[in-house]
Amino acid sequence: DAKTTQPPSMDCAEGRAANLPCNHSTISGNEYVYWYRQIHSQGPQYIIHGLKNNETNEMASLIITEDRKSSTLILPHATLRDTAVYYCIAPGAGSYQLTFGKGTKLSVIP
Amino acid sequence: GAVVSQHPSWVICKSGTSVKIECRSLDFQATTMFWYRQFPKQSLMLMATSNEGSKATYEQGVEKDKFLINHASLTLSTLTVTSAHPEDSSFYICSVRGVAGGYNEQFFGPGTRLTVL
């Protein structure tokens, strides 16, 4: 797995975009980046993943830098229900085991 | 994504008893399931990987004789905590692996909170 580094916590005002960064400078060329989130006392929820192109789905957008050493998860209009711990994970190429780090605790503030 | 259920959602038991937790993939045939545990204020830790019809692969430090995993079908995996002790109190979460278009995604169950008195 590539090591990932995330800030331990972030605040975001309700209705504003939440931008969560992740550093994965040791990622290899064919390793994907996955994002999950865990709302308190629930199982993790898959959000999005990408390889090198930016991705968007109904939940979020994923921006990956050209050198692939970092990425940003964007929640375009954060709501109180988006308060959770967000995990950025880069399992090794060909691996399907997810190693969860400490993630970023996002607090959406009214 | 796949819908994953766990039963029970919470359980309280006495020290020394065994507890079985079920994980079901409701709309997806899961050849691979994973079991994690999460202690308070900590991240998820992978315990074991189970493939349908074969023995589970345990992570280092996880006792296979204490945490029995059975993956008898493509939709059901069970985790049995044998002779549970208070230090086994934790949040146990299963996940199923999905493969679509060459990607790997995991879909998680809601978790089971075990409290051992």
Side-chain angles (χ1 to χ4, degrees), chain B residues 92-107:
Chain B
Y92 292 87
I93 308 167
C94 70
S95 73
V96 305
R97 173 182 170 231
V99 179
Y103 304 138
N104 286 293
E105 301 166 2
Q106 282 189 32
F107 302 100

Side-chain angles (χ1 to χ4, degrees), chain A residues 38 87 100-103, chain B residues 37-39 41-45:
Chain A
Q38 186 178 26
Y87 297 97
F100 286 80
K102 296 184 178 181
Chain B
R37 65 181 168 184
Q38 185 175 31
F39 293 108
K41 298 189 185 301
Q42 295 187 22
S43 190
L44 283 79
M45 291 181 58

Side-chain angles (χ1 to χ4, degrees), chain A residues 33-53:
Chain A
V33 177
Y34 290 78
W35 283 82
Y36 286 80
R37 73 180 182 183
Q38 186 178 26
I39 296 170
H40 183 63
S41 294
Q42 296 183 25
Q45 177 187 23
Y46 165 80
I47 301 173
I48 200 168
H49 70 275
L51 182 61
K52 50 184 175 183
N53 296 322

